[in-house]
Amino acid sequence: MGPVLLRVEGLTKTFGGVRAVDGVDLEVSPATVTGLIGPNGAGKSTVLGMLAGAIRPDAGRIRLGERTVSGQPPHRMAQMGIIRTFQTASLFPQLTVLENLLLGFKPWRGERPRAALFARGWKRQEAAQVGRARPMLAQLGLNRHENTPAASLSGGERRLLEIGRALLAEPTVLLLDEPMAGVAPHLGELVAGLVDGLVTTGTAVVLVEHEMRVIERLCHSVVVMADGKVIVRGTLDEVRTNQQVRMAYLGQ
Ligand SMILES: Nc1ncnc2c1ncn2[C@@H]1O[C@H](COP(=O)(O)OP(=O)(O)O)[C@@H](O)[C@H]1O
Ligand SMILES: [Mg+2]
């Protein structure tokens, strides 16, 4: 699998007595897509939350390259290149499509985004950033909606916009939590194409997705979780035929 970019060891999180994540190990290489799958409640979103810095691990370690990054808050994780999109879109509904997209750029990614819009130096940077955001809007098929409030977009379009914003941050590691949820099939293919493109630039993607066709289309390897633990890892074909995986899904 080549060099390891993101290394997770013994990651653990308990919520009020429930071991949501229980000793998870992961290794993620640059320019790969790792699928994180498993039944509802397996702990997938909690793993992503810890990788993004939104949830503080009770135990375990997250390393990005040579650095230990576990325990850092989300804006620090984002500055170090770990960017997440949410299971439900997290846009600013009153801001326009273009404004939402501009919030993806460094150096304000993740940190007090509203304030960033009015920060000193914004105007100067704005022209350059708009120059990069417009091609992204076109790629997303949202150029007609540049000045539309995000609230007016369809669910699928909002999802695309959120992913576009994450891409503009040029993540080292992109964490996608069910990016295809509520996205029409033709828009889904657009999302998949964007992920492919990002991976060719060296980004490592961790993808939580329940739609197996999407996993098959995008992932180089798959990690299966159940009850907070990794039960199997390998290629999709390897895990698909695994008895424990079948049990985990049937037992749902
Ligand atoms: N903030 C929270 N408070 C309490 N329990 C939680 C919280 N987040 C997740 N859980 C519980 O942790 C377990 C794993 O949840 P989650 O990571 O969302 O699973 P998945 O994304 O695989 O469906 C579930 O039992 C869920 O109810
Ligand atoms: Mg989830």
Side-chain angles (χ1 to χ4, degrees):
M1 270 272 280
V4 176
L5 174 63
L6 183 73
R7 190 187 300 275
V8 171
E9 292 164 355
L11 205 60
T12 297
K13 182 70 191 182
T14 303
F15 291 114
V18 177
R19 285 219 155 204
V21 174
D22 189 1
V24 164
D25 298 334
L26 282 178
E27 285 186 358
V28 174
S29 299
T32 62
V33 182
T34 303
L36 188 54
I37 67 174
N40 265 332
K44 308 177 299 291
S45 291
T46 305
V47 167
L48 287 203
M50 289 190 277
L51 294 177
I55 299 173
R56 213 183 162 81
D58 294 333
R61 194 159 73 145
I62 302 166
R63 287 170 65 82
L64 182 65
E66 296 302 307
R67 293 169 86 175
T68 297
V69 300
S70 27
Q72 299 283 340
H75 72 271
R76 288 285 303 134
M77 291 295 208
Q79 282 163 357
M80 291 184 290
I82 304 181
I83 302 282
R84 166 169 70 153
T85 72
F86 287 87
Q87 202 167 349
T88 50
S90 64
L91 300 167
F92 289 88
Q94 321 87 312
L95 297 183
T96 67
V97 166
L98 180 62
E99 285 166 341
N100 268 285
L101 206 50
L102 291 174
L103 290 173
F105 285 105
K106 311 175 227 193
W108 4 83
R109 53 192 185 191
E111 194 174 24
R112 299 201 304 138
R114 271 169 211 274
L117 271 182
F118 304 102
R120 281 165 54 117
W122 171 258
K123 282 278 167 236
R124 215 169 341 126
Q125 290 199 30
E126 191 182 50
Q129 295 185 341
V130 167
R132 284 188 48 218
R134 287 229 166 90
M136 176 62 76
L137 273 182
Q139 245 186 308
L140 299 171
L142 292 175
N143 30 1
R144 285 179 301 122
H145 296 300
E146 180 176 314
N147 297 312
T148 306
S152 308
L153 298 180
S154 72
E157 288 168 338
R158 281 203 290 270
R159 181 48 60 99
L160 279 177
L161 178 55
E162 199 195 13
I163 291 170
R165 185 176 64 182
L167 296 186
L168 287 178
E170 301 180 323
T172 309
V173 178
L174 180 65
L175 311 170
L176 295 170
D177 200 342
E178 303 197 13
M180 306 300 186
V183 175
H186 69 286
L187 295 183
E189 186 44 45
L190 195 53
V191 172
L194 290 170
V195 171
D196 279 340
L198 188 68
V199 167
T200 62
T201 70
T203 300
V205 178
V206 181
L207 171 68
V208 171
E209 179 58 58
H210 60 262
E211 188 58 64
M212 281 305 144
R213 273 170 313 170
V214 177
I215 295 287
E216 190 163 23
R217 157 85 172 75
L218 283 172
C219 294
H220 301 92
S221 68
V222 176
V223 174
V224 188
M225 286 183 69
D227 292 328
K229 295 191 172 73
V230 172
I231 54 170
V232 192
R233 60 187 95 218
T235 64
L236 181 59
D237 283 338
E238 283 163 1
V239 307
R240 210 165 6 202
T241 54
N242 184 285
Q243 196 58 31
Q244 264 182 295
V245 173
R246 288 167 179 273
M247 291 290 289
Y249 277 95
L250 290 173
Q252 195 177 340

